[in-house]
Amino acid sequence: MTVISAEKIIIVSLCYFALIFFVAYYADRRRRMGRSLLSNPHIYTLSIAIYCTSWTFYGSVGKAATSGLDYLPIYLGPTLIAFGWWFLLRKMVRVSKEQNITSLADFLASRYDRSAVLGAIVTLFAVFGITPYIALQLKAIAQTLDILFLPLKSLPEPTSGLIPYLPGQIDSAFIITLLLGLFGILFGARHLDSSERHEGLVVAVALESLVKLVAFVAVGIFVTYGLFDGFIDLFQQFHQRFPDRSYLFAVGTAEVPYTKWFTLIIISMAAIMFLPRQFHIMVTENANEEHIKKAMWRFPAYLFLINLFVLPIAMGGLLLNHGDTTQADYFVLTLPLGANQPWLALLVFIGGLSAAAGMVMVSSVTLATMILNHLVMPVILKLKLRAQDLSGILINIKRLGIVGVVLLGYLYFIVIGDSYALVNIGLISFMAAAQFAPAMIGAIYWKRANKYAATWSISLGFAVWVYTLLIPSFARSGWISSDLLQYGPLGISLLKPLELFGLSGFDMYTHSLFWSLMFNLGVYCMVSILTRQSDAEKKRAIMFVDVFVDQDQPDERLTRISKAPTIVEFVDLMSKFIGEKPAQTAISAFLADKEIDHRGSLNDQDIFSLKTFTERTLAGHVGAGSARIILENYLAARGSEMENIFDIFGSVTIDGAISREHLSVLYDVSQLVSSGDSFQSKLDRILELLAEQFKFDLCVIRFLEPKTRTLLVKSLVGETFNHFGKSERNLSNETYIGQAFLSNVTMVVNDTDELEKPASSAIIQAEGITCFAHLPIVLEGEPVGILSAFSRSGKGLFTIEFIALLENIAGQIGIARRNEQQIGRLVLVREQEREMQIAKEIQMALLPASLPSLEDIQVAGLCVPAHQVGGDYYDFIIRKDGRYDVVIADVSGHNIGSALIMAETRTFIHSRVDGINNPAAMLQALNDYFLKDLDRSDLFVTMFYLQYNLDDHQLIYSNAGHNPPLLWRQKVQQIEPLDAEGLIFGIHKKINFEQKNTRLEPGDILLLYTDGIVEAEDSHQNLFGQERLEKLLSEEQQSTPQELIDQILTQVRLFTGYRHFNDDVTLLAMKILK
Amino acid sequence: MKQHRPDNTLREAWILFMILGMIMINFPFIHIFNGDMSLLGIPRLVVYFMYGWPASIAVIWLFVRRLEQESQAQQNNNNNDLITR
């Protein structure tokens, strides 16, 4: 046999990994440039072939050589189900795109009432179920390395310390584990990606799929046509040499009974759809539904090709190894080695490495996403971590998750891996995936299926899986005592894991499939039928099952959020979890087609869809369950509540019982409620309508007066004696109306001869009333008033249907009341806003309207308040003697108080400028003046004051704690900050303001600014800073002052990512021309 | 309201082929090919899968082609609708 040097293997492997990484990196770059490689259906098909792991690559031949054709059903099942992808897979893809689903666990959690518990359970089981499979891949790589390094050593033997340069304790599998974990992080968790799509990863997987196919087919051709003379020759030689092994080509044998064959087909069908990595590649990473069509036949064709040479290689291996099957799992590798084909063997090794690496990378990324979203997030949310921006922590948790999952696989491999043939470990994972099948298929085809059913069926299915498959595999590897298998737990033979309830005579997979699906499916159906869904869950079910039916979701229109958060608050919430920039991008996409009113807010319906949108966006990052918890907690914390808008026809069943007349009254009332009339006239007209249509003698609406706790008449229609209808009512259970209000139920008396409340009976009978009803008017669950209707002409007027109608009308009156209150609040807000607007206009007028344009100097200034009014101030004063005073000041805060201080500052300066000749004296005077005012108001002022003399170009200046202005010296091409000693106003009585002077030359630029510029923050809390400002100034030295200011403002906005500033921003630039 | 579903015939055909497929790769159907009989030295069951499998892939291919034709036709229809309107 040929020996390939370790160096060669390591170098080739590393080169190969580098190639894959380069391809992945290239794909990511293409995506960013908008020319995605995933628009190619070939890549989608090839990436699905991640199904073929090292188990296929090495294990199939091993299986074919030892037990026969039972490697085939693993690929026949997927071929069969691929036929239905256009219906099944496309539906899963469509649902996932619409719901922003990130993983299999998210899909289930999302469908079943966004249940966080279900998400966590699925995640746990997926991790448990997939770990053996990852172990299997590590084992394959480690063993092939062994074969390459030490071909003469007899195998299999425990792998240890095989890479020659490494110390004995570290085996090659461990190195590979770490490498694959690193790759998972590089491809899958470089940054938190919305919607969990990783283009680079997919393209890398597709490339690996191509490589493994090429490698396997190459070996196949080499064995079939190089070592032997074609298929027929192989079969003939085999028959001659091993006439007793014809069972390898038959089904229904002791090795491959028909039941096992059937079992394998079923679980492989489940595995291709519901293994988390398959779900990820096929559903989450699907770029275009049309690709499914192509994949439907191309993927089975791939499977066919990769299986075509399994039998020839197996037979070739047996023929050349004299029937020895101990190394059958690695015939693919040992045959080229034995035939002195080192390069072919190396290609095979790379193929196997591809098969294993792709699976481990995608699985670990997928599982880490699930762990993050369904195990870690709920805990984070429970703990209510108050961090400003969680996105940084989340990505690191995800990275940790990837390494954790791979290491778990390694642990399994160390503990149990060596005792089992490759293929058996894989089947354990397949069976785990099959446990998701009922809940997954039910999710998109059975509306009635609910979360209890899904939670219990999956849990039970897994319990049976653990008991009938995982525990026996532990026992067989000697990890736990095999007594359990032989005698059952505590000697109860009925509970033997491999012959549960006495079911014997089947292989362990069939046995496990039968029992696990029996419990799983049984509980799923039973619980679904026996328990009820909440309204919210019903909605989710419809979204999933009827995804292809055009839905105009009526429910959204009927729900609103009371005390709804504003757009900004929603954005802040999103930023916390996904980072600020993505949140801004998302919200602008959402707002693109929405109408925003003049107050910058949305109407009720759009706010509700914004809530849904926020939840969906968050779901793309943290999963549906967590997203729901986040929003619910958030809304609850703010005191916001979801409430139903009154559905005018919702509570009335339209059958024979309701007359056309009733319907038209309902319609008219709803028209009245939504009309532009005043509240009072709405109420009056509703009562008129009732009295007229239903011949009531008296209709009254009373509302609660909270101070006196009495019901006051708001509107009344009809005749009344003795002020019966007009009087107020106390709240007590003694009267019908009081009881109706206090217990929030409709009170009906159809015959006043049978009154039970003596307090009411006298007056009612005196009025001649024969029947009446009191209906509570409810607002946000609380009664706020009563609608009463009285009749003198007949008894038994109030039938159940009629009461339902009146209740409906009472509900609509509640809406009218709420609208009225809201309008009241709106008017108030608008008035305040108008006042602020006036204040703003006055304040802006205090700043110089235009700056003088002179021959010698150019000046430009700008002030952008953060809110309507601000505390920034700048000014430019021309003295009679040709000196110019320039001042810039910043009053802390940006409210009316700051604005008043700013106005006071200006008045002081303007009135005293003639008497005070230099900056230091001016600051001194200002400080004395402000000392008391500022002390009382908790405000403080910083100011920079300078005076420029055109004649001698001298500049004198003083500073009261303001940011030092920047001076660009044209001659030396340098920036010099102008600073002078001095404290902010309002702290000390005696402050010594230093006065400095300097000379300005033509080309010099002086830039004064407030801290709003240098303290502008980007999303990572980085400050814009003085350095950036200085850089800008030196770059823009040729510009005019106005251009300079505009440029600075643009750059600061670009830096923060906002148009809007958090603090007032003021800039003043002066350029010396002569 | 326009429902974007493939035509019902296709859906029925799909279910039928799925069932047929399930039958054709399972007991008792494959029992027909089981046994020692061989064709040119290749066991019959192996031959069955070597030819049956690509044949089933061809069926999927035909099915997909039909799907594509139909969505094409629907698009044309939609376009015609727009034009006639």
Side-chain angles (χ1 to χ4, degrees), chain A residues 61-73:
Chain A
V61 171
K63 196 106 197 143
T66 48
S67 60
L69 287 181
D70 58 345
Y71 72 92
L72 262 187

Side-chain angles (χ1 to χ4, degrees), chain A residues 69 72 75-76 79-80 83-84 86-87 232 235 249-251 258 261-262 265 293-294 296-297 300 304 550, chain B residues 1-2 6 11 14 17-18 22 25-27 31 34 40-41 43 45 49 53-54 57 60-61 64 67-68:
Chain A
L69 287 181
L72 262 187
Y75 308 97
L76 292 177
T79 304
L80 192 58
F83 194 70
W86 187 243
F87 301 102
I232 297 174
F235 276 104
F249 312 111
V251 183
Y258 282 122
W261 180 268
F262 179 76
I265 288 177
K293 281 188 199 160
K294 300 270 186 273
M296 275 166 72
W297 64 271
F304 177 73
D550 285 342
Chain B
M1 191 162 51
K2 191 151 270 162
R11 186 172 278 269
W14 165 59
F17 275 113
M18 283 283 276
M22 201 66 196
I25 55 173
N26 265 306
F27 182 81
H31 197 62
N34 225 351
L40 294 171
L45 193 61
F49 281 119
W53 196 348
I57 294 169
I60 304 180
W61 180 73
V64 169
L67 265 179
E68 273 166 356

Side-chain angles (χ1 to χ4, degrees), chain A residues 283-574:
Chain A
V283 179
T284 316
E285 302 276 6
N286 176 288
N288 185 342
E289 283 177 17
E290 292 299 309
H291 293 176
I292 296 174
K293 281 188 199 160
K294 300 270 186 273
M296 275 166 72
W297 64 271
R298 284 183 187 166
F299 175 64
Y302 183 101
L303 292 182
F304 177 73
L305 274 180
I306 208 164
N307 275 291
L308 190 59
F309 291 103
V310 169
L311 271 183
I313 297 172
M315 286 187 294
L318 287 174
L319 284 168
L320 295 173
N321 284 288
H322 315 291
D324 179 15
T325 58
T326 44
Q327 286 190 34
D329 268 348
Y330 298 103
F331 277 164
V332 185
L333 191 58
T334 54
L335 286 182
L337 274 179
N340 281 325
Q341 296 288 341
W343 287 107
L344 186 58
L346 210 54
L347 179 65
V348 168
F349 172 72
I350 294 294
L353 191 63
S354 294
M359 182 275 168
V360 176
M361 282 177 339
V362 177
S363 294
S364 59
V365 170
T366 318
L367 290 177
T369 306
M370 283 161 68
I371 291 173
L372 173 65
N373 292 349
H374 300 283
L375 294 179
V376 179
M377 270 316 277
V379 176
I380 289 185
L381 296 175
K382 263 264 149 58
L383 296 178
K384 300 211 162 103
L385 293 182
R386 287 264 172 259
Q388 261 305 305
D389 185 358
L390 286 174
S391 52
I393 305 172
L394 297 185
I395 185 73
N396 282 326
I397 293 176
K398 187 164 172 188
R399 289 172 184 154
L400 212 66
I402 292 176
V403 176
V405 166
V406 185
L407 281 178
L408 204 63
Y410 175 72
L411 202 70
Y412 191 94
F413 161 63
I414 291 295
V415 172
I416 209 167
D418 271 336
S419 59
Y420 240 19
L422 291 184
V423 69
N424 298 328
I425 308 186
L427 284 179
I428 294 176
S429 287
F430 273 31
M431 195 71 79
Q435 301 311 319
F436 298 129
M440 282 296 288
I441 293 174
I444 48 176
Y445 287 106
W446 193 25
K447 282 184 202 166
R448 209 174 157 143
N450 64 35
K451 70 171 165 191
Y452 306 108
T455 312
W456 282 106
S457 66
I458 289 177
S459 305
L460 217 63
F462 264 91
V464 177
W465 169 79
V466 168
Y467 192 66
T468 57
L469 215 51
L470 203 59
I471 287 182
S473 82
F474 286 161
R476 286 193 175 171
S477 64
W479 203 43
I480 46 179
S481 157
S482 63
D483 285 357
L484 183 72
L485 297 192
Q486 283 199 331
Y487 309 111
L490 309 168
I492 305 170
S493 64
L494 217 56
L495 294 181
K496 278 196 265 184
L498 292 177
E499 290 173 19
L500 196 61
F501 307 128
L503 181 73
S504 61
F506 291 101
D507 64 287
M508 66 192 282
Y509 304 107
T510 308
H511 174 262
S512 175
L513 180 75
F514 175 77
W515 281 122
S516 61
L517 275 196
M518 164 109 174
F519 281 102
N520 189 329
L521 202 59
V523 166
Y524 185 69
C525 296
M526 291 279 285
V527 177
S528 287
I529 290 168
L530 292 178
T531 56
R532 283 171 167 274
Q533 286 169 313
S534 65
D535 285 346
E537 191 176 0
K538 270 184 201 149
K539 265 185 229 166
R540 308 290 307 171
I542 291 170
M543 282 180 203
F544 276 63
V545 177
D546 287 343
V547 68
F548 287 122
V549 181
D550 285 342
Q551 298 171 38
D552 39 23
Q553 290 152 347
D555 299 299
E556 293 214 351
R557 285 201 312 248
L558 294 173
T559 316
R560 64 186 288 283
I561 308 169
S562 67
K563 302 185 197 113
T566 61
I567 302 177
V568 178
E569 284 170 301
F570 275 118
V571 176
D572 286 348
L573 180 68
M574 280 197 273

Side-chain angles (χ1 to χ4, degrees), chain B residues 12-76:
Chain B
E12 281 158 17
W14 165 59
I15 294 172
L16 210 82
F17 275 113
M18 283 283 276
I19 296 171
L20 207 64
M22 201 66 196
I23 291 172
M24 285 173 68
I25 55 173
N26 265 306
F27 182 81
F29 194 84
I30 54 170
H31 197 62
I32 301 172
F33 305 96
N34 225 351
D36 289 337
M37 295 273 288
S38 62
L39 239 142
L40 294 171
I42 306 180
R44 270 206 313 195
L45 193 61
V46 176
V47 177
Y48 170 63
F49 281 119
M50 264 174 80
Y51 289 94
W53 196 348
S56 73
I57 294 169
V59 170
I60 304 180
W61 180 73
L62 286 172
F63 177 81
V64 169
R65 228 178 54 154
R66 183 69 198 280
L67 265 179
E68 273 166 356
Q69 282 169 354
E70 242 168 52
S71 65
Q72 195 73 42
Q74 198 175 2
Q75 252 175 23
N76 288 343

Side-chain angles (χ1 to χ4, degrees), chain A residues 637-657:
Chain A
R638 300 184 77 263
S640 308
E641 270 172 40
M642 307 295 297
E643 59 182 43
N644 290 328
I645 287 181
F646 217 77
D647 177 4
I648 64 160
F649 298 125
S651 59
V652 181
T653 43
I654 306 198
D655 53 22

Side-chain angles (χ1 to χ4, degrees), chain A residues 663-730:
Chain A
L663 276 179
S664 88
V665 169
L666 270 185
Y667 179 75
D668 289 344
V669 170
S670 72
Q671 289 292 307
L672 278 173
V673 167
S674 57
S675 71
D677 286 1
S678 75
F679 181 53
Q680 185 63 50
S681 107
K682 280 180 194 175
L683 296 184
D684 294 346
R685 289 179 60 186
I686 289 173
L687 290 191
E688 280 164 20
L689 185 75
L690 283 183
E692 185 187 328
Q693 287 286 336
F694 302 120
K695 310 282 180 274
F696 286 126
D697 294 287
L698 180 64
C699 294
V700 189
I701 293 174
R702 288 184 173 88
F703 281 117
L704 180 74
E705 166 59 46
K707 277 179 201 148
T708 55
R709 296 286 295 162
T710 49
L711 290 165
L712 293 183
V713 175
K714 183 79 180 165
S715 175
L716 179 144
V717 170
E719 284 178 28
T720 168
F721 319 110
N722 310 326
H723 301 290
F724 166 69
K726 287 177 191 156
S727 55
E728 61 185 48
R729 290 280 185 275
N730 290 318

